[in-house]
Amino acid sequence: MNSMTTKPIAAVADATIPSFHDQLVALLPRLRVQAVSMTRNRADADDLVQAAVSNALAAQHSFTPGTNFGAWMFRILRNRFLSDIRRRRDTCDMDNAPAEALARPAAQEDSLALRELRRRLADLPADHRTALMLVTVQGLSYEEAAEVMDCAVGTAKCRVFRARRQLEAWLMGEQPTARRGAGKAKAAEATRRSEAQRAGRTTAEMRAMHPGS
């Protein structure tokens, strides 16, 4: 009786888990978004996704069914990207990134803001941009993002936090903290020099009025 009932239950359980190829196909749009954020070029992003998919198919025996397929694939994508970077040190233009990679089409003002966001994303350090995209766009947890980037969870959180703060500062027209601090230091130094010059002139004038003193 038990043997007859366990087989259908196992079959139903297996049927609820998508096959490797189904998961791979469903993940392709998200892989391309992440590839665009890495390469900052559409053609290179397509090549990167194709190479990552080939690597995944060759290594599909190493994937454990039931675990996070997205994190596994993003790690392959990142490793392939780093491998390509070591072979060639090309720079790409973020202006080629499609708008749909970051948001849906909107009104003209929103499109201008979106272009500014894309431009500022390109200015972020690569590791900060990757962490931000994995967590905010791809929906990975900090733990999964840390696994993809091969870093500590605290490091992943720090990268996302700094990326968000830096983007906010840029988009709000604020200067980075370091630059603001440098500006204040320069202003203070200029004030001190001005006061010293005024003090020097005052002393010279006093001596001119009282030459015998």
Side-chain angles (χ1 to χ4, degrees):
M1 183 69 178
N2 291 337
S3 61
M4 295 178 61
T5 56
T6 54
K7 290 184 179 180
I9 293 175
V12 171
D14 292 339
T16 60
I17 301 177
S19 67
F20 182 92
H21 290 81
D22 289 342
Q23 292 184 79
L24 184 58
V25 171
L27 193 65
L28 285 177
R30 293 171 58 192
L31 287 174
R32 189 172 187 275
V33 169
Q34 192 67 26
V36 168
S37 75
M38 291 177 173
T39 63
R40 291 173 282 172
N41 181 280
R42 291 185 181 183
D44 289 345
D46 290 339
D47 292 341
L48 177 60
V49 171
Q50 183 176 358
V53 168
S54 297
N55 289 353
L57 291 173
Q60 61 178 302
H61 62 277
S62 65
F63 174 70
T64 303
T67 59
N68 192 316
F69 182 79
W72 186 77
M73 273 303 308
F74 287 129
R75 186 178 181 85
I76 291 178
L77 184 76
R78 178 178 179 273
N79 289 342
R80 182 56 190 246
F81 173 70
L82 295 177
S83 177
D84 290 345
I85 285 296
R86 294 188 187 101
R87 288 197 296 266
R88 55 181 178 84
R89 299 288 180 177
D90 294 340
T91 56
C92 305
D93 187 3
M94 185 65 179
D95 292 338
N96 290 325
E100 61 270 18
L102 301 175
R104 296 179 179 178
Q108 183 176 0
E109 293 183 359
D110 292 336
S111 297
L112 292 174
L114 181 59
R115 284 199 295 270
E116 175 67 9
L117 175 60
R118 292 207 312 270
R119 187 173 72 86
R120 289 304 186 181
L121 276 171
D123 293 337
L124 288 173
D127 54 351
H128 290 188
R129 182 173 60 250
T130 298
L132 183 68
M133 294 292 290
L134 287 173
V135 173
T136 62
V137 177
Q138 305 300 348
L140 269 63
S141 67
Y142 287 114
E143 290 76 11
E144 292 166 345
E147 181 182 354
V148 170
M149 296 184 293
D150 194 22
C151 66
V153 176
T155 301
K157 291 181 178 180
C158 183
R159 289 175 181 177
V160 173
F161 174 77
R162 290 183 177 179
R164 283 173 170 165
R165 289 292 297 274
Q166 184 62 81
L167 282 177
E168 181 181 0
W170 280 336
L171 296 177
M172 296 299 293
E174 300 176 2
Q175 294 295 327
T177 303
R179 293 183 180 179
R180 288 203 304 267
K184 290 180 179 180
K186 290 182 180 179
E189 179 63 22
T191 301
R192 286 194 295 269
R193 290 181 180 178
S194 178
E195 291 176 351
Q197 290 174 355
R198 285 199 299 269
R201 287 196 298 270
T202 301
T203 301
E205 291 172 356
M206 292 294 292
R207 289 178 178 175
M209 292 175 61
H210 304 282
S213 59

